[in-house]
Amino acid sequence: MPELPEVETTLAGLRPSLLGAKIVRLVVRERRLRWHIQSGLESKVRGRTIIAMRRRGKYMLIHLDRGGLLMHLGMSGSFRVILANTSKNTGGNTAIETHDHYDLITDRGDIIRYRDPRRFGCLLWASGDPTQHKLIRTLGIEPLNLEFNGKYLHHAAKGRTLAVKNLLMNGKIVVGVGNIYAAESLFDSGIHPARGCHRISEQRYQRLAESVQKILNQAIQQGGSTIRDFAAADGQPGYFAQELMVYGRAGAQCHQCKTPIRNITLGQRSTFYCPKCQR
Ligand SMILES: [Zn+2]
């Protein structure tokens, strides 16, 4: 499932083709995504210029010279960029496949093709500033911003009794720390995922905030190497395997202490941790 680093990487992969370009056509083949692609969206975006692109949580916000678009990759979404010179030769990699639900075609001749087998992604219209869309303005803070720190987390935990991992995955508190990155950050900061969030000092929360930022930044940097493939339209979504310390490693030895990694369920999500390194 695409997480914050993959969304960041996707945006970086799309930027060279989309930023500053004019949308000449939107072709929708399947409207039934997580939310229906509204009828008439094609005419709303036609002729609009893309003036800014940014990530907010796991949404990609496309600012147009009037209005904007919200895109989300859902569980299985990915984009393929078919550059103008590629589409001239009718090579097999430009063929439309079953799960290719929409295309954005720019005045540069590039085709941005969205694929999503499970259809949990979205393409929504924002009539004004996309950052003010109702789905966006209620989101928690960004984990890579300065305001995400020990003080913030410690304050957010006050009066709550839930497990720290569930606090970290609550999108109203902080956005985009998915299951993998929550597990890895808790390991990195030595905090047990099931520990009650009210039983953690501000100092330990500061360490946790720094771990979250370190691990997300590493993933984004590693993603950088896939951008080239992405732009070459090889159809690969540009996700990347990071070296994971605990996630998916149940029963395997902890890289630090050799204790077997454990797997429990927290908030209906599989949770991996080292019982010795994490308290
Ligand atoms: Zn360990």
Side-chain angles (χ1 to χ4, degrees), residues 16-78:
S17 297
L18 287 182
L19 192 58
K22 186 182 277 190
I23 299 171
V24 293
R25 206 146 61 94
L26 165 67
V27 179
V28 181
R29 284 178 288 271
E30 173 60 84
R31 292 189 184 276
R32 293 170 300 165
L33 299 187
R34 178 167 180 194
W35 295 290
H36 257 76
I37 297 178
Q38 68 175 78
S39 59
L41 186 62
E42 291 90 334
S43 58
K44 279 179 171 147
V45 301
R46 191 180 302 128
R48 302 263 70 93
T49 300
I50 295 163
I51 55 171
M53 298 167 68
R54 64 178 61 153
R55 182 189 57 74
R56 185 74 176 93
K58 293 205 287 184
Y59 287 92
M60 291 178 279
L61 308 183
I62 310 297
H63 294 248
L64 304 174
D65 51 1
R66 199 179 63 213
L69 293 167
L70 271 61
M71 294 166 162
H72 198 294
L73 300 171
M75 310 279 284
S76 59
S78 64

Side-chain angles (χ1 to χ4, degrees), residues 187 253-259 261 273-278:
F187 176 81
Q253 285 184 350
C254 170
H255 290 312
Q256 277 179 16
C257 74
K258 308 223 183 294
T259 303
I261 298 298
Y273 69 100
C274 171
K276 195 170 169 197
C277 296
Q278 292 174 258

